[in-house]
Amino acid sequence: MHATIVATLADGDVRTVRRVYNSTAAAPFSDKFSNNHEFTGDVATDVRIIVSGRGVGGDGLDLAGRVRSCAHRGPQPESLMTMSSLSEEDRGAIATRCKEEAELPDGWYYDGAVYVSYDGLTRTDEHPRLDEYVAQYVKGLNEAIVERNAVAEEARNALRGVTITADEVTA
């Protein structure tokens, strides 16, 4: 059996991506990647898998069905973060940054152990502005997630037109 995967890239360049050989049923496959091009980030507009050999036609191999079953449908959207979904590690790092950077709001002081309101009724281990810092951090994460989700949606939309067909030629 011999299989070749040929991809047409978005810029029109045609590349042989992979070749697989198996001379006999008992022999292991010889697998060779194309070394002349780095494919990371390239978009293929057309991919053809050409298989030749005994027993590869008909319903026995069902190559189109196998490819269809493992076809990538594009990246799934990520869920937005919330203040409660942050890990303890992230929240601790934000608390440290807040303690080092943030000014205390009017009516608060730090006694070296806890934050105290001037009236003395409220004492807390957390900086009074910690929620502001956490909200700002979550907002930044969510802006990045929204951008990634937009790119993922574009990728899923591009894959909607993908079809997998089998053209069988017998000699």
Side-chain angles (χ1 to χ4, degrees):
M1 183 176 95
H2 171 216
T4 302
I5 301 172
V6 179
T8 303
L9 303 180
D11 63 4
D13 195 13
V14 177
R15 300 284 182 160
T16 299
V17 180
R18 194 169 202 170
R19 287 192 177 112
V20 181
Y21 305 95
N22 185 0
S23 302
T24 68
F29 280 95
S30 169
D31 194 353
K32 179 166 176 53
F33 273 105
S34 174
N35 295 345
N36 60 353
H37 186 67
E38 178 62 45
F39 287 95
T40 305
D42 286 339
V43 175
T45 58
D46 183 59
V47 176
R48 296 181 186 268
I49 302 172
I50 301 136
V51 179
S52 61
R54 290 180 180 224
V56 296
D59 293 332
L61 183 60
D62 187 23
L63 183 61
R66 290 174 188 238
V67 171
R68 199 175 293 113
S69 71
C70 65
H72 182 58
R73 299 292 176 216
Q76 294 301 308
E78 292 180 57
S79 299
L80 295 178
M81 298 291 291
T82 63
M83 290 173 66
S84 61
S85 66
L86 287 179
S87 68
E88 287 298 318
E89 182 179 302
D90 285 343
R91 194 165 173 85
I94 296 166
T96 299
R97 196 177 101 225
C98 181
K99 183 176 182 178
E100 292 170 354
E101 295 177 2
E103 297 284 327
L104 285 170
D106 291 339
W108 287 86
Y109 68 93
Y110 184 65
D111 70 2
V114 294
Y115 297 94
V116 183
S117 64
Y118 280 141
D119 61 12
L121 299 176
T122 307
R123 299 171 64 82
T124 179
D125 293 334
E126 293 183 345
H127 194 286
R129 290 207 165 134
L130 179 60
D131 286 342
E132 290 174 36
Y133 268 67
V134 171
Q136 183 181 18
Y137 181 77
V138 168
K139 181 182 176 190
L141 289 177
N142 285 338
E143 287 170 355
I145 290 171
V146 166
E147 286 180 28
R148 285 193 302 271
N149 283 346
V151 170
E153 180 67 22
E154 286 179 24
R156 284 191 302 279
N157 287 339
L159 290 173
R160 283 198 175 101
V162 172
T163 57
I164 298 170
T165 59
D167 294 330
E168 192 171 317
V169 177
T170 56

